[in-house]
């Protein structure tokens, strides 16, 4: 296979002997590198290299304007805008300034009269909002005013750029087009050759036409006759238009290739679910390709979606001898970007109360933070994290960290109550970054060192900008600038641009040809990009002024896609079969065109590739009861089984093992809103404190009514005690604070009703029970323990009351008992717990018949739900707890505890099975 650049060079060398006087202009620097490579292969003796430019470099030379970075150009635009609108902040401007600069670029590249266009836009806006009856709203007025402002901003901005002798890309193109005749006059001895162009803006068209109108200057198109001769195919859309409209182009001498529709071409299309799977598939495909390829074969991997690069790098097989990555890794994809973002958040969200705990935990949880803290010989990240979680600290203030003795300077500065200036903020961050760089230098981790140095360079640039520009005065504006910079900065990879596997983006493939081409993510919304219109200029206005719309951009990507297929002999195209709103939709129209084109001589094969899925049958988690485990169980039994721990065993024996034996509970987390268990604790404690003065007293309506004014003070005290330093003065916590008061008031109202209708004595509150059990065959101490929320005597009958702040159903408390038997399941655990409390109380006090029930605090209208047994589900429950019933319960309790100590019965995770 001879590439387009090789074919063009061979033709040029036939027609021109003096290469020193030739100038080559190509779409990209990369294409120029390949042209030099092919030129070295064609010549037989050393020569002075001809001048080779990318189109951007060539146009800048003609314009005479100096190059400035996008950020520098953007800040100059802000300075002009701020003179008109002094109240505008930099961070606000950056949200739309880039879009406006993009519009200025398009206007000047296509040589549109900007003033006429902006006047036209303003007129359209006024007509659209015009109404005889209604006065325009403030929003509409502001939008119209903004369009007028843009019209005034444009000439002022150009004036500033001219004074600085610089410009954005569109202005450079416009200036070059104005200077082209003078440039040609000064360089008459040179011959200019424009190679591999397709879509051109109006400034490029006029400039190139001016060159090729002169003798010895030529343009060389790279298009296959298959596409040029098809008037409907978008691949030839631009070049067909050029031949129709350019009188400077020859009608007979132009050369088109005939490589696309070749019989020896092989195209395979693979539908693959998800992006990571695509990366893994490409890795396997490359491994197979490199097992059989020759050294002369050239292979390119073109990423339509460049965010796939990290996954691709991690999936590359080991048998690839050489790899060159042309696009670079975006800095925003590195670990350090996450660290710096967390650092910014510490200061952006800081308030008078301190730093929000989530921002602190995110920063402390970053691996880079641990490296920084190790430098000072302190390992306080875990200590601070545990302190925040244990004490429920929502905002971290220096006062919260007094428990840390000998805290280093870094932590002191991070959490200091004084505000940092932007310069101090950057200096502290540079200190952290240099510490990280030194660490990775010692670890000989060159990738991380390179990444860290890139960030250090970036923040040194920001520091200098901060010294020059007084409007970069806040950390918020600094963050906005950082995000603007990081979106374009990248880490460059080292490699040979002309050998080995070439990994590139779609635009980097311009003018290049490869024997084997692999393309990923060929989905609608990615290739082509579709109707993305990040512009202040509407579609219809762009059409009116002959500016490019999404249709022209689609045609550009159509050309790039098919051009890669022109000379390739093996093509592999993958697409994501799982449509995603953000990451692309169904397979690209280009794939549909390939599959339905009946004029093709080569075969297009379509495959659906899915990863091999192996079902792993995990055996149920089983824990055998060893002697050591049995000894641990005996220790627990000696201290006492609680009703809740025995409920865990009934529900799932493995849960009992995990929570009650190993004591593995949920990880502590900070409660921004009141957690369910904290809510219950506050209700229990508040009720205890309110009723405690009236223990062993008859409760009367008057006495209970006297508690109502005390509710708010008591709940407030419980919030401060149990919720620690948590805030309950606003938001959901304020709602919870009021809900707790409402629940307690409703509970007291229930008690008032009970006391009105009955004689009620309060006999106990939060009574601690510790009951020894004598179980046959178990010759070691066993106890049952628990806390009875409340004990009443109602009309001479004892009642044990349990508070529940969750939902309670009658079926959970009242159980069906056929033939007097008791059978406990996960569905009636609340009945089991009530009988445990009743059993312990009866063992200690040897009373006769009594009752036990649950007060559902959230469903207080249900009153007390008493434990009861019934012969069938619709029957009436018998709520009396008699000695006979407790004797049957004792038997069930003994059998349950025997099962716990039975070495033949393992702990089994029944939820998995």
């Amino acid at each position: 296979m001879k590439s387009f650049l090789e074919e063009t060079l061979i033709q040029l060398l036939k027609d021109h002997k003096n290469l020193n006087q030739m100038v080559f202009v190509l779409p990209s620097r990369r294409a120029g590198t390949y042209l030099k490579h092919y030129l070295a292969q064609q010549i037989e003796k050393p020569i002075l290299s001809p001048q080779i430019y990318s189109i951007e470099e060539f146009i800048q030379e003609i314009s005479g304007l100096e190059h400035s970075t996008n950020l520098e150009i953007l800040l100059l635009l802000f300075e002009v805008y701020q003179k008109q609108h002094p109240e505008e902040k930099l961070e606000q401007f950056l949200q739309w300034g880039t879009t406006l600069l993009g519009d200025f670029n398009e206007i000047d590249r296509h040589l549109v009269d900007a003033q006429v266009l902006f006047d036209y836009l303003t007129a359209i806006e006024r007509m659209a909002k015009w109404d005889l009856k209604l006065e325009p709203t403030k929003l509409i007025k502001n939008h119209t005013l903004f369009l007028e402002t843009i019209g005034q901003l444009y000439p002022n901005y150009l004036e500033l750029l001219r004074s600085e002798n610089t410009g954005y890309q569109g202005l450079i193109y416009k200036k070059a087009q104005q200077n082209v005749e003078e440039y040609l006059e000064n360089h008459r001895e040179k011959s200019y050759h424009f190679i591999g162009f397709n879509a051109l803006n109006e400034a490029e068209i006029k400039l190139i036409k001016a060159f090729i109108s002169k003798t010895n200057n030529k343009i060389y198109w790279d298009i296959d006759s298959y596409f040029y001769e098809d008037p409907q195919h978008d691949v030839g859309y631009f070049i067909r238009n050029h031949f129709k409209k350019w009188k400077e182009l020859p009608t007979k001498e132009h050369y088109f290739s005939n490589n696309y529709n070749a019989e020896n071409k092989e195209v395979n299309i693979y539908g693959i679910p998800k992006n990571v799977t695509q990366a893994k598939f490409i890795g396997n495909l490359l491994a197979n390709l490199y097992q059989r390829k020759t050294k002369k074969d050239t292979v390119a991997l073109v990423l339509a979606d460049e965010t796939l690069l990290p996954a691709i790098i991690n999936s590359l097989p080991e048998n690839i001898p050489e790899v060159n990555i042309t696009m670079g890794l975006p800095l925003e994809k590195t670990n350090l970007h996450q660290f710096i973002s967390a650092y910014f958040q510490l200061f952006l969200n800081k308030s008078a109360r301190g730093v929000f705990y989530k921002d602190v935990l995110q920063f402390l949880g970053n691996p880079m933070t641990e490296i920084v803290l190790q430098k000072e010989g302190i390992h306080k990240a875990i200590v601070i994290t545990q302190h925040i979680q244990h004490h429920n600290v929502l905002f971290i203030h220096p006062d919260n960290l007094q428990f840390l003795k000998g805290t280093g300077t870094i932590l002191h500065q991070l959490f200091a109550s004084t505000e940092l200036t932007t310069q101090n903020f950057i200096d502290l961050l540079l200190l952290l970054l240099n510490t990280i760089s030194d660490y990775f230098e010692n670890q000989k981790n060159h990738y991380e060192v390179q990444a860290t140095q890139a960030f250090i360079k970036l923040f040194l640039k920001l520091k200098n900008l901060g010294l020059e520009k007084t409007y970069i005065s806040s950390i918020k504006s600094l963050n906005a600038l950082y995000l603007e910079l990081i979106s374009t900065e990248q880490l460059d990879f080292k490699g040979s641009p002309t050998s080995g596997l070439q990994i590139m983006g779609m635009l980097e493939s311009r003018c290049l040809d490869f024997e084997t081409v692999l393309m990923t993510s060929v989905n609608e919304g990615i290739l082509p990009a579709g109707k993305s219109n990040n512009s202040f200029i509407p579609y219809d206005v762009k059409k009116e002024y002959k500016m490019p719309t999404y249709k022209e951009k689609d045609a550009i990507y159509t050309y790039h896609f098919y051009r890669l297929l022109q000379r390739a002999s093996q093509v592999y195209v993958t697409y994501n079969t799982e449509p995603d709103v953000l990451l692309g939709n169904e397979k690209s129209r280009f794939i549909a065109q390939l599959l339905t084109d009946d004029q093709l001589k080569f075969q297009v094969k379509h495959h659906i590739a899915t990863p091999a899925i192996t079902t792993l049958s995990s055996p149920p988690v089983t824990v055998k009861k060893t002697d050591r485990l049995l000894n641990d169980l005996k220790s627990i039994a000696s201290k006492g089984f609680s009703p809740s721990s025995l409920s865990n065993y009934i529900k799932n024996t493995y849960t009992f093992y995990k929570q009650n034996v190993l004591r593995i509970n949920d990880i502590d987390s900070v409660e921004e809103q009141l957690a369910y268990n904290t809510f219950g604790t506050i209700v229990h404690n508040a009720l205890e404190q309110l009723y405690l003065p009236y223990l062993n007293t008859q409760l009367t309506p008057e006495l209970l009514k006297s508690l109502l004014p005390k509710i708010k003070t008591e709940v407030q005290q419980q919030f401060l005690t149990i919720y620690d330093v948590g805030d309950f003065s606003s938001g959901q916590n304020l709602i919870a604070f009021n809900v707790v008061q409402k629940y307690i008031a409703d509970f007291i109202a229930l008690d008032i009703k009970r006391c009105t209708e009955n004689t009620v004595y309060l006999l106990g509150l939060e009574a601690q029970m510790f009951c020894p059990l004598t179980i046959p065959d178990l010759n070691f101490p066993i106890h049952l323990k628990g806390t009875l929320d409340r004990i009443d005597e109602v009309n001479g009958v004892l009642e044990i009351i349990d508070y529940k702040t969750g939902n309670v159903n009658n079926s959970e408390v009242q159980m069906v008992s056929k033939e007097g038997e008791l059978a406990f399941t996960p569905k009636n655990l609340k009945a089991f717990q009530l009988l445990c409390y009743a059993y312990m109380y009866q063992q200690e006090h040897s009373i006769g018949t009594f009752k036990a029930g649950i007060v559902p605090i959230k469903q207080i209208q249900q009153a007390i739900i008493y434990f009861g047994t019934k012969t069938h589900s619709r029957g009436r429950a018998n709520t009396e707890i008699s000695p006979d019933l407790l004797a049957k319960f004792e038997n069930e309790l003994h059998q349950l505890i025997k099962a716990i100590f039975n070495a033949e019965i393992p702990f089994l995770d029944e939820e998995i099975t």
Side-chain angles (χ1 to χ4, degrees):
M1 176 205 78
K2 283 200 181 299
S3 69
F4 164 69
L5 292 178
E6 285 180 291
E7 291 172 348
T8 305
L9 265 179
I10 291 169
Q11 186 64 39
L12 278 166
L13 292 172
K14 284 182 182 177
D15 299 341
H16 302 271
K17 300 301 179 184
N18 188 2
L19 290 175
N20 292 339
Q21 296 302 315
M22 297 174 69
V23 177
F24 298 117
V25 184
L26 296 101
S28 66
R29 284 184 180 180
R30 185 170 171 76
T33 302
Y34 269 75
L35 186 70
K36 281 183 183 178
H37 173 71
Y38 293 135
L39 181 60
Q41 293 177 343
Q42 294 293 329
I43 60 174
E44 298 177 353
K45 58 182 180 180
I47 62 166
L48 289 174
S49 173
Q51 289 178 287
I52 300 175
Y53 292 97
S54 70
I55 185 67
E56 286 87 0
E57 293 168 336
F58 185 60
I59 285 179
Q60 185 173 341
E61 180 177 299
I62 297 173
S63 73
L65 297 177
E66 295 178 3
H67 171 75
S68 295
T69 65
N70 287 338
L71 183 62
E72 291 167 342
I73 292 294
L74 195 59
L75 290 178
L76 288 174
L77 178 59
F78 172 67
E79 289 169 14
V80 175
Y81 184 78
Q82 198 181 40
K83 287 180 181 178
Q84 296 174 260
H85 301 273
E87 74 285 354
E88 185 79 3
K89 301 292 184 185
L90 177 62
E91 56 269 23
Q92 297 169 326
F93 169 80
L94 289 176
Q95 295 175 6
W96 56 267
T98 305
T99 302
L100 182 61
L101 189 58
D103 285 339
F104 286 175
N105 259 319
E106 289 294 316
I107 289 168
D108 287 345
R109 276 200 298 248
H110 291 272
L111 305 180
V112 176
D113 188 321
Q115 203 57 55
V116 172
L117 184 142
F118 287 125
D119 289 345
Y120 186 62
L121 273 178
T122 306
I124 290 174
E125 184 69 18
R126 285 176 175 165
M127 287 178 64
K129 307 305 181 202
W130 181 75
D131 195 300
L132 278 173
K133 298 177 181 178
L134 296 176
E135 179 72 17
T137 65
K138 185 178 179 181
L139 183 65
I140 293 172
K141 287 180 178 178
N142 287 343
H143 189 244
T144 306
L145 182 63
F146 176 71
L147 291 176
E148 293 174 352
T149 300
I150 292 175
Q152 299 165 8
L153 179 65
Y154 178 80
N156 295 338
Y157 183 41
L158 292 194
E159 185 178 345
L160 175 62
L161 292 174
R162 288 192 191 102
S163 68
E164 300 276 346
N165 195 38
T166 188
Y168 50 85
Q169 190 187 64
L171 183 60
I172 291 172
Y173 274 57
K174 186 177 181 179
K175 182 69 174 174
Q177 186 268 329
Q178 294 168 353
N179 293 350
V180 65
E181 293 298 336
E182 180 183 349
Y183 185 87
L184 278 168
E185 183 65 27
N186 294 335
H187 299 81
R188 283 184 293 178
E189 72 284 0
K190 301 279 187 180
S191 66
Y192 293 86
H193 303 271
F194 298 86
I195 302 172
F197 289 94
N198 173 46
L200 299 167
N201 57 55
E202 195 62 29
E204 288 172 330
I205 288 172
K206 290 196 172 184
L207 186 142
I208 292 175
K209 284 168 70 174
F211 273 94
I212 62 175
S213 64
K214 309 295 181 184
T215 309
N216 293 330
N217 298 340
K218 288 187 177 181
I219 187 166
Y220 302 83
W221 308 104
D222 182 14
I223 189 170
D224 197 278
S225 57
Y226 183 88
F227 302 118
Y228 182 80
E229 292 166 5
D230 183 351
Q232 301 301 319
H233 212 301
D234 277 352
V235 173
Y237 173 80
F238 292 104
I239 295 177
R240 284 193 299 270
N241 280 341
H242 297 332
F243 273 93
K244 286 178 186 176
K245 297 177 181 179
W246 294 18
K247 63 181 181 180
E248 295 83 0
L249 289 175
T251 54
K252 297 181 180 178
E253 294 180 14
H254 63 268
Y255 168 77
F256 300 140
S257 65
N258 286 289
N259 296 306
Y260 174 69
N261 202 12
E263 293 182 2
N264 63 343
K265 195 185 301 288
E266 182 183 338
V267 177
N268 286 280
I269 298 169
Y270 296 91
I272 301 168
K274 299 298 181 183
N275 284 343
V276 173
T277 315
Q278 282 190 79
K280 298 297 181 186
F281 179 84
I282 289 293
N284 292 334
L285 189 58
L286 286 169
N288 293 332
L289 284 173
Y290 274 86
Q291 282 179 353
R292 60 178 187 267
K293 76 179 284 294
T294 64
K295 289 184 178 180
K296 291 183 180 180
D297 292 340
T298 54
V299 182
L301 172 55
V302 181
L303 307 184
D305 177 10
E306 296 186 11
T307 62
L308 205 59
L309 179 61
I312 289 289
I313 292 173
N314 289 321
S315 302
L316 291 175
E318 294 181 357
N319 64 335
I320 301 179
E322 195 175 358
V323 177
N324 180 53
I325 303 172
T326 66
M327 63 188 70
L329 180 68
L331 283 184
E332 59 187 352
K333 298 294 180 183
T334 61
N335 293 331
L336 266 171
H337 171 60
Q338 304 303 320
F339 169 76
I340 292 169
S341 296
Y343 175 80
F344 264 106
Q345 291 305 313
L346 287 179
F347 295 90
L348 287 173
N349 295 338
K350 184 183 286 188
S351 66
R353 290 185 290 176
V355 185
F356 191 50
Y357 83 97
K358 280 189 177 178
D359 298 325
V360 176
L361 293 183
Q362 185 179 13
F363 180 74
L364 293 177
N366 193 289
M368 303 298 173
T369 305
E370 187 63 29
I371 293 171
V372 169
L373 296 182
Q374 282 179 8
K375 174 71 185 302
E376 293 195 349
I378 53 176
H379 299 272
K380 296 212 166 66
I382 295 175
V383 177
I384 297 172
T385 301
Q386 290 175 343
H387 176 78
I388 290 170
Q389 293 171 341
H390 180 70
H391 293 278
N392 207 65
V393 181
L394 290 182
F395 291 90
I396 286 71
H397 192 269
D399 295 342
N400 299 126
L401 302 178
Q402 289 179 355
F403 69 95
L404 289 175
K405 296 180 180 179
T407 300
T409 55
I410 290 176
L411 280 176
H412 177 75
Q413 291 180 70
L414 287 173
F415 300 111
S417 55
T418 55
E419 290 292 328
L420 289 181
T421 65
T422 54
Q423 293 297 306
N424 290 339
F425 176 89
I426 294 175
D427 287 339
L428 178 56
L429 180 56
L430 288 172
L431 173 65
L432 304 183
L433 290 175
N434 280 306
T435 301
I436 293 168
S437 179
D438 292 343
Y439 173 83
F440 285 122
E441 191 77 52
N442 294 332
Q443 297 290 318
K444 300 190 184 305
N445 188 332
H446 302 300
Y447 162 74
E448 292 290 359
V449 170
Q450 186 182 356
T452 311
Q453 289 301 319
F455 277 102
I456 290 172
K457 182 179 178 182
L458 185 149
F459 277 98
L460 285 172
K461 184 189 298 184
L462 284 175
K463 183 176 182 180
N464 291 333
L465 273 175
L467 292 171
E468 294 173 14
K469 315 289 186 182
T470 56
Y471 48 79
I472 308 175
S473 57
S474 69
I475 294 175
K476 188 177 286 187
S477 60
L478 193 65
N479 184 53
L481 272 179
Y482 166 71
L483 293 176
E484 186 69 33
L485 266 175
I486 200 71
S487 63
T488 57
E489 295 289 326
Q490 59 185 23
L491 282 177
D492 295 326
F493 294 94
K494 293 182 179 178
S496 170
T498 57
S499 62
L501 170 66
Q502 301 294 313
I503 301 178
M504 63 184 75
M506 183 61 71
L507 291 178
E508 292 166 311
S509 69
R510 289 174 292 180
C511 290
L512 309 184
D513 296 291
F514 302 90
E515 291 277 355
T516 303
V517 173
L518 298 87
M519 265 187 278
T520 65
S521 304
V522 184
N523 286 79
E524 287 293 316
I526 297 175
L527 191 66
K531 298 182 181 180
S532 57
N533 187 31
N534 191 19
S535 170
F536 290 116
I537 306 172
Y539 173 83
D540 291 340
V541 176
K542 286 189 174 185
K543 291 286 288 183
E544 174 72 19
Y545 285 87
K546 295 181 174 55
M547 295 171 68
T549 64
Y550 69 89
K551 290 186 176 180
E552 284 73 26
K553 291 175 182 176
D554 283 359
I556 291 171
Y557 279 97
T558 305
Y559 172 82
H560 292 320
F561 175 83
Y562 281 100
R563 206 209 63 76
L564 276 168
L565 272 60
Q566 279 182 198
R567 296 174 182 81
S569 58
Q570 285 184 302
V571 178
Y572 301 90
V573 175
T574 70
Y575 67 92
N576 186 354
T577 58
E578 302 297 317
D580 190 292
V581 175
L582 297 176
L583 304 175
N585 300 305
E586 70 270 13
K587 64 177 178 285
S588 172
R589 69 193 75 169
F590 302 153
I591 293 174
Q593 289 168 0
L594 284 171
L595 293 172
T596 56
D597 191 344
D598 54 8
Q599 301 297 316
L600 297 179
K601 295 178 182 178
F602 57 87
Q603 190 174 8
V604 179
K605 297 178 183 178
H606 188 207
H607 317 267
I608 298 296
T610 55
I613 300 173
T614 55
T615 305
L616 298 176
S617 55
S618 302
V621 179
T622 304
V623 179
K624 292 183 179 180
K625 295 172 184 173
T626 63
D627 291 341
R628 181 177 177 181
L629 181 51
L630 287 169
N631 286 331
D632 289 340
L633 289 170
K634 289 177 184 178
S635 176
I636 294 169
S638 176
K639 296 174 183 176
F641 290 116
S642 67
S644 60
S645 66
L646 295 176
S647 296
N648 278 342
Y649 188 85
I650 295 171
K651 184 166 57 179
N652 187 331
T653 60
Y654 185 72
T655 302
F656 170 83
Y657 169 72
K658 194 167 62 171
Q659 293 185 3
N660 302 104
V661 180
L662 297 181
R663 301 186 182 280
I664 299 174
N665 296 310
D666 294 336
I667 298 171
D668 284 342
S669 60
V670 178
E671 297 175 21
E672 293 179 61
Q673 290 88 40
L674 201 64
Y676 178 76
N677 57 343
T678 309
F679 186 95
T681 304
I682 290 174
V683 170
H684 274 69
N685 290 4
L687 285 173
E688 180 187 6
Q689 294 303 314
L690 286 168
Y691 278 83
L692 193 59
Y694 309 107
L695 192 61
N696 297 316
T697 304
Q698 181 181 348
L699 299 179
T700 64
E702 292 74 21
L703 184 149
L704 292 168
K705 287 176 183 176
S706 69
L707 297 179
L708 295 173
K710 302 175 183 178
I711 293 175
K712 183 174 182 179
T713 303
E714 186 56 47
V715 171
Q716 193 170 25
Q717 181 59 44
Q718 294 303 325
F719 259 83
L720 292 171
T721 303
I722 296 167
Y723 202 35
D724 208 356
V725 292
D727 179 30
F728 56 93
S729 61
S730 61
Q732 292 189 28
N733 288 337
L734 177 60
I735 295 172
F737 178 71
N738 289 315
V739 167
V740 170
Q741 294 181 69
K742 176 71 166 56
Y743 283 169
I744 292 175
D746 288 347
F747 180 87
I748 294 173
L750 173 66
D751 258 354
I752 292 172
K753 183 179 179 184
R754 289 175 71 215
C755 293
T756 302
E757 299 171 354
N758 305 280
T759 303
V760 180
Y761 285 89
L762 178 62
L763 303 181
L765 286 170
E766 301 298 325
Q768 302 293 322
M769 296 281 127
F770 194 70
C771 173
L773 299 177
T774 303
I775 302 175
D777 302 324
L778 299 181
N779 301 317
F780 45 83
I782 301 174
H783 294 90
L784 190 62
K785 66 177 181 178
T787 303
L788 280 57
D789 290 338
R790 180 165 152 180
I791 305 163
D792 287 351
E793 183 186 288
V794 182
N795 297 330
V797 178
L798 187 108
E799 292 185 4
I800 294 173
I801 305 298
D802 189 29
Y803 307 146
K804 295 291 184 189
T805 50
N807 293 324
V808 181
N809 297 319
N810 282 20
S811 60
E812 297 175 287
V813 182
Q814 298 176 349
M815 56 191 295
V816 177
S817 176
K818 295 181 180 179
E819 299 178 1
E821 296 298 324
L822 299 175
F824 297 105
T825 68
K827 294 182 179 180
N828 57 21
L829 292 177
K830 289 184 173 65
F832 172 80
Q833 290 182 18
L834 282 177
L835 284 180
C836 283
Y837 295 135
Y839 177 79
M840 286 188 284
Y841 192 86
Q842 199 269 351
Q843 290 291 304
E844 188 170 318
H845 295 88
S846 300
I847 62 173
T849 301
F850 60 101
K851 292 183 177 182
I854 290 175
V855 177
I857 302 290
K858 287 174 68 176
Q859 304 158 296
I860 202 73
Q861 68 277 6
Q862 295 187 31
I864 301 174
I865 305 175
Y866 289 103
F867 166 82
T869 58
K870 46 191 175 181
T871 55
H872 55 86
S873 59
R874 294 180 181 273
R876 186 171 182 175
N878 177 11
T879 58
E880 291 184 349
I881 299 176
S882 65
D884 288 342
L885 180 68
L886 290 177
K888 291 176 183 178
F889 173 74
E890 182 181 58
N891 182 58
E892 292 295 325
L893 183 62
H894 287 185
Q895 295 304 318
L896 178 65
I897 295 175
K898 280 183 178 181
I900 292 175
F901 285 97
N902 189 337
E904 301 301 319
I905 303 176
F907 293 120
L908 185 69
D909 194 351
E910 295 168 317
E911 289 182 1
I912 295 178
T913 59

